[in-house]
Amino acid sequence: MATIGRNDPCPCGSGKKYKNCCLTSSEALSIAKYKYDKYLEVRNEACAKVFEAGFEDLKIDSFGPSFYLLDNLLFEPPESSQIRNADDFDNFLKDAAFLFAIYGYPVHEGKLFEPVTDENSGSTNKVKDTEVDNTEGIDGFGFKLDFFDIVKKQAACKEEIENNYLWKYCLVNFNNRFSDEEKKFLNSLKDSVPGFFKVTDINASQQEKEIAGCPVSTFEDIFTGKKYKILDRLLSEGVVRHDIISGMLAPYNEVPGEELYVLEGSPPVLYPPRDKPLILELIKEYCRIYRKEYRQLFESKINYPEIFKVFPVVLYLVAIHYFYHTISAPLPKLVNYDKEVIIFSRTSYKVKDREKVKQQLIAIKDIRLVEETKKKMVFDWTNEKDTLLASIYLHDRDLILETNSLERLERWKKVTKGVPIEFEKTDYIYPEEMQKKFLKSAGKKQGKTSTGKKEKDDIPEEALKEFALKWWEDYYNDWVNTKIPLLGNITPLEAMKTARGRKNVEALIEDYENSHLHDVKRGAGGAGNMQKYFDPDELRKRLKLI
């Protein structure tokens, strides 16, 4: 584009001169972008110097952070050769350990805290798990202690522990190696907010972008509920609403009057909302261990953000434990209503007397004739809940049974033991194999299609949209009245009658929305795809959640 002069008409179409319209905001945006780029440059240089000091000056073993994390896991991972996707786990551990080395690795290993001893009694001070409502406490041996002295010693011990982490140790002991800007960045980490955060918004207003110079996301602390405005040019490209992410929110002080943060030291994992119960379980278990060992440092009431602040290692232990869980857990299997693994089977039998077979099948409970022509008869085999167990096709000389589990096939053999049919063969395939064959076939078909040539059966986008909206409308209406196993095999409308059920329904819809947004971001909702017209808010409207 040609350079726009200050006195030229503004390209926004307002009719005003450029200098009296968008020039000011454009200049402000350029300055904001420059400041953010400068911040990233300073941050990267400071972290590189911290890492270098740790491994060259302090002689920290290159595998030290990795071994430290592995030693503190609640389980012992098997050898890499025994892990499914072993390379993925090793690479994840390497990436997490690199960040941990800078932001949470203790420079001097060993016990970071010795129990506080009361100078008068010589006894060990142990703050019990009870609320303290006066200025005196009683230690484990019954001696009275000054409460303010306890708090003072607690603060000193916390500071001693935090000073032992590599970034802060370098700031104190290698101060002359850092520029003023780098020191400013490292000092900002003292006011950082470590924790686990839910992404509530990634669509900043144009005004916020002009102020910050890059996209602004909104995070919500999953423990405190406090919301933070986060700057990150790449973050908005990888996350969507309802994702859960962990790390340290460092204050970004380049925009006066605005409370903005930048995500630092984040383990390379996004937690999907459906796994929040598992994440909370891991967080609580690791926090319990550190809180129990360093009980003197914390008040009786559990404060998770405070534990993260003193022991950021928890962020990395939870991430590694969770990632290992995802790659080591058995692959999910599709199941039918009887919770049997789905496997599509087709069993063939020879028939000598078609009429006799027909009469004996009709006589069997739950098997009924649903269609009859000169060429074939079709039977449905159902259970007492009217769930279709199998379809049976009877021809002149053969019978075909189609069912979706091996258990149902075995039950069929028992109920038809006296029927005069002669077994020939059973062919079956798992859904995963069907999907692979379909994708392979689709890939070949796509490869044969000449570039830029429109398929004959392509549906015009307007027609697709009209059809999709109608289809989704029916889906929304049916879904609220469908029994869902994750809700305890009751419908969303029934679940909404209790507080717990309402919470479960909200979580389920959030998970749907999260998956949908990730699909759209990956391009799975492109032209010709109905998925892009899915709107989770329509589910919420029908349940009066909005």
Side-chain angles (χ1 to χ4, degrees):
M1 293 179 63
T3 303
I4 304 171
R6 293 174 59 84
N7 292 311
D8 290 340
C10 187
C12 74
S14 64
K16 299 179 182 179
K17 291 183 179 180
Y18 182 47
K19 66 180 180 181
N20 297 325
C21 192
C22 293
L23 175 60
T24 304
S25 61
S26 178
E27 289 176 339
L29 183 59
S30 297
I31 294 172
K33 285 181 177 179
Y34 170 78
K35 288 183 177 179
Y36 182 67
D37 288 339
K38 184 66 176 177
Y39 173 90
L40 295 180
E41 182 182 329
V42 169
R43 184 268 299 272
N44 292 338
E45 189 63 29
C47 289
K49 289 181 180 180
V50 168
F51 191 81
E52 181 182 355
F55 288 87
E56 293 189 6
D57 294 84
L58 299 175
K59 306 301 180 185
I60 295 175
D61 186 274
S62 58
F63 295 104
S66 296
F67 289 141
Y68 187 96
L69 291 169
L70 290 173
D71 287 344
N72 285 279
L73 286 172
L74 289 172
F75 68 99
E76 185 174 345
E79 296 293 331
S80 294
S81 59
Q82 300 173 359
I83 304 177
R84 175 166 52 88
N85 301 330
D87 289 342
D88 289 346
F89 181 72
D90 290 341
N91 291 333
F92 182 88
L93 178 62
K94 185 190 302 180
D95 292 341
F98 171 77
L99 294 168
F100 169 64
I102 297 171
Y103 294 101
Y105 182 68
V107 174
H108 302 296
E109 292 192 33
K111 280 200 172 183
L112 296 174
F113 171 75
E114 294 297 333
V116 178
T117 302
D118 179 63
E119 296 175 357
N120 298 321
S121 65
S123 64
T124 302
N125 167 22
K126 296 181 180 179
V127 179
K128 295 185 177 181
D129 286 342
T130 56
E131 294 290 342
V132 179
D133 57 2
N134 54 41
T135 57
E136 288 188 332
I138 300 179
D139 72 4
F141 296 90
F143 293 94
K144 289 188 176 182
L145 302 172
D146 184 80
F147 176 71
F148 294 112
D149 188 48
I150 294 173
V151 173
K152 186 177 180 181
K153 290 179 179 178
Q154 285 175 341
C157 291
K158 287 180 182 178
E159 186 177 357
E160 182 182 346
I161 291 175
E162 292 173 10
N163 284 341
N164 195 37
Y165 295 136
L166 185 56
W167 68 269
K168 200 167 184 181
Y169 184 90
C170 289
L171 185 59
V172 173
N173 295 280
F174 301 117
N175 187 273
N176 59 341
R177 298 188 183 183
F178 300 95
S179 67
D180 290 340
E181 291 85 357
E182 291 162 359
K183 292 176 189 176
K184 180 180 178 181
F185 163 74
L186 293 175
N187 273 300
S188 74
L189 296 179
K190 296 177 183 178
D191 299 318
S192 64
V193 183
F196 293 78
F197 309 91
K198 175 182 175 182
V199 181
T200 60
D201 187 18
I202 59 168
N203 298 314
S205 66
Q206 185 59 35
Q207 183 181 4
E208 287 178 317
K209 289 180 181 179
E210 291 174 0
I211 292 173
C214 71
V216 178
S217 303
T218 305
F219 284 11
E220 180 181 278
D221 191 306
I222 66 172
F223 289 103
T224 67
K226 184 175 179 180
K227 292 188 177 182
Y228 301 87
K229 295 288 186 180
I230 313 300
L231 275 72
D232 196 317
R233 190 168 293 155
L234 297 178
L235 188 64
S236 59
E237 297 178 9
V239 303
V240 299
R241 285 186 64 200
H242 311 304
D243 278 333
I244 296 175
I245 194 167
S246 60
M248 303 164 61
L249 305 185
Y252 180 78
N253 301 314
E254 301 301 321
V255 183
E258 295 289 334
E259 192 173 357
L260 299 168
Y261 295 82
V262 175
L263 181 66
E264 300 288 349
S266 176
V269 63
L270 279 180
Y271 305 99
R274 64 178 173 274
D275 286 341
K276 185 177 179 180
L278 171 61
I279 302 163
L280 289 174
E281 182 182 339
L282 292 175
I283 292 171
K284 291 176 181 178
E285 188 59 25
Y286 280 108
C287 285
R288 185 192 67 79
I289 292 171
Y290 279 90
R291 188 170 177 274
K292 181 179 179 181
E293 186 168 352
Y294 300 95
R295 183 178 296 181
Q296 297 90 337
L297 299 183
F298 305 107
E299 298 296 335
S300 58
K301 187 176 181 180
I302 297 178
N303 185 328
Y304 290 104
E306 184 184 17
I307 298 174
F308 302 148
K309 185 75 174 178
V310 183
F311 296 107
V313 63
V314 172
L315 307 182
Y316 300 94
L317 291 174
V318 170
I320 294 171
H321 196 140
Y322 173 80
F323 186 80
Y324 175 80
H325 170 81
T326 60
I327 67 169
S328 62
L331 292 173
K333 291 185 179 292
L334 295 174
V335 296
N336 58 29
Y337 281 110
D338 294 328
K339 297 184 178 179
E340 300 160 345
V341 175
I342 289 180
I343 179 170
F344 300 106
S345 68
R346 180 184 175 89
T347 305
S348 303
Y349 296 87
K350 282 292 183 184
V351 175
K352 291 183 179 179
D353 189 334
R354 174 183 172 181
E355 189 61 29
K356 187 176 181 179
V357 170
K358 169 189 172 182
Q359 296 303 324
Q360 291 197 20
L361 287 177
I362 293 174
I364 297 174
K365 182 183 178 182
D366 297 327
I367 293 181
R368 64 178 183 270
L369 180 64
V370 294
E371 181 184 340
E372 183 174 11
T373 66
K374 289 183 179 180
K375 291 186 177 181
K376 71 174 181 179
M377 302 176 196
V378 181
F379 300 81
D380 280 351
W381 179 31
T382 58
N383 61 14
E384 61 279 2
K385 297 179 181 178
D386 206 32
T387 299
L388 182 66
L389 303 179
S391 294
I392 306 150
Y393 305 93
L394 178 60
H395 302 271
D396 285 336
R397 299 296 180 184
D398 59 79
L399 180 146
I400 304 295
L401 172 82
E402 292 182 352
T403 187
N404 65 4
S405 79
L406 294 179
E407 290 85 353
R408 289 177 178 177
L409 180 58
E410 291 303 313
R411 287 164 60 191
W412 158 263
K413 291 177 182 178
K414 291 179 181 179
V415 301
T416 59
K417 194 171 184 180
V419 179
I421 52 178
E422 183 182 342
F423 173 78
E424 279 196 315
K425 65 175 182 176
T426 296
D427 297 316
Y428 60 84
I429 187 171
Y430 286 94
E432 296 85 355
E433 295 174 9
M434 288 184 66
Q435 185 180 25
K436 288 178 183 177
K437 288 185 177 182
F438 172 78
L439 292 174
K440 188 175 181 180
S441 174
K444 288 181 179 179
K445 183 178 179 181
Q446 187 176 9
K448 292 179 181 178
T449 304
S450 52
T451 306
K453 185 178 179 181
K454 188 178 179 67
E455 288 286 328
K456 291 182 180 180
D457 56 351
D458 274 355
I459 303 174
E461 191 63 28
E462 283 302 316
L464 173 68
K465 181 178 180 180
E466 182 180 354
F467 173 79
L469 292 176
K470 176 64 173 66
W471 192 93
W472 282 118
E473 180 74 14
D474 294 338
Y475 171 83
Y476 304 140
N477 294 331
D478 290 341
W479 183 82
V480 296
N481 291 293
T482 300
K483 292 183 178 181
I484 299 176
L486 289 174
L487 297 177
N489 208 32
I490 61 175
T491 71
L493 281 174
E494 291 172 329
M496 290 291 292
K497 295 177 182 178
T498 66
R500 182 178 181 83
R502 181 187 179 93
K503 186 176 180 181
N504 290 337
V505 170
E506 289 175 335
L508 189 59
I509 296 177
E510 283 187 3
D511 187 50
Y512 289 166
E513 184 173 27
N514 180 259
S515 299
H516 166 67
L517 291 172
H518 272 294
D519 286 343
V520 172
K521 185 153 282 190
R522 287 193 298 265
N529 193 318
M530 279 183 27
Q531 185 67 27
K532 63 185 175 183
Y533 294 109
F534 172 67
D535 184 0
D537 279 342
E538 291 296 328
L539 296 176
R540 296 185 176 102
K541 289 177 183 176
R542 283 157 179 76
L543 296 169
K544 298 182 179 179
L545 289 170
I546 56 174

